[in-house]
Amino acid sequence: MKWMGAGAALLLALPAAVVGQDNEAVSIDDLSGCAALYSVMGDYVDEGSEASALMSYRFLQFYVLMHYSAEADATDSLTADSLKPLMKAETDRVRGLVESALAKGNDIRMFSSNMADCDLIRDQNPDVFALVDKKIEEMQRTPN
């Protein structure tokens, strides 16, 4: 995804308030699973479509938050660099599931429940995702 490099630039830009949110903590596995799902789903929608833009944006939201969460928790050994293999493995896993489902004649829409789970994470953490959205907007306004 074109946002991957830009997402890394936001890691330390998110306010420390994200760490102190009263919302239930979201696991790195959940964040990487959602990022991978949106990344893979983006490959199966028409390029340049509204759905493609949505998949790219949702991917970026989860990707940035995943990296920030890993960097912000000093009690674990996760870093932005250590998340790269995790993200690749998760994306490969999701891609394998999607390709297997399609090979069996299933419709891509069978993964809508997985996307609903990701939407639930967003809905349960509105303050965190609002901060992520603000940072994404700032990044988009900043010339490269």
Side-chain angles (χ1 to χ4, degrees):
M1 290 263 167
K2 65 181 177 180
W3 294 102
M4 210 171 257
L10 292 177
L11 296 180
L12 298 177
L14 283 173
V18 170
V19 177
Q21 292 292 325
D22 293 331
N23 302 316
E24 185 175 318
V26 180
S27 75
I28 292 293
D29 290 339
D30 289 340
L31 295 174
S32 66
C34 289
L37 179 66
Y38 286 117
S39 175
V40 171
M41 289 295 132
D43 294 342
Y44 291 92
V45 295
D46 293 332
E47 190 173 330
S49 68
E50 187 176 318
S52 176
L54 178 64
M55 295 299 131
S56 292
Y57 194 78
R58 293 289 186 253
F59 162 79
L60 181 59
Q61 287 178 311
F62 282 97
Y63 181 81
V64 168
L65 188 54
M66 175 184 71
H67 277 268
Y68 183 75
S69 297
E71 292 289 336
D73 187 353
T75 63
D76 65 25
S77 61
L78 294 173
T79 65
D81 287 336
S82 70
L83 288 176
K84 289 177 185 177
L86 171 70
M87 189 65 210
K88 180 180 179 345
E90 188 64 15
T91 301
D92 290 346
R93 184 188 71 80
V94 170
R95 188 174 311 287
L97 291 171
V98 170
E99 289 174 357
S100 175
L102 291 173
K104 293 176 184 173
N106 292 313
D107 190 285
I108 197 87
R109 288 176 286 188
M110 73 178 283
F111 292 95
S112 58
S113 66
N114 300 81
M115 289 206 264
D117 291 342
C118 295
D119 288 341
L120 185 60
I121 291 171
R122 289 179 49 258
D123 293 345
Q124 290 175 340
N125 298 281
D127 296 339
V128 171
F129 280 90
L131 290 171
V132 170
D133 289 344
K134 284 182 183 179
K135 291 302 173 185
I136 291 170
E137 288 172 14
E138 288 174 16
M139 181 188 67
Q140 290 172 333
R141 287 192 303 263
T142 305
N144 291 337

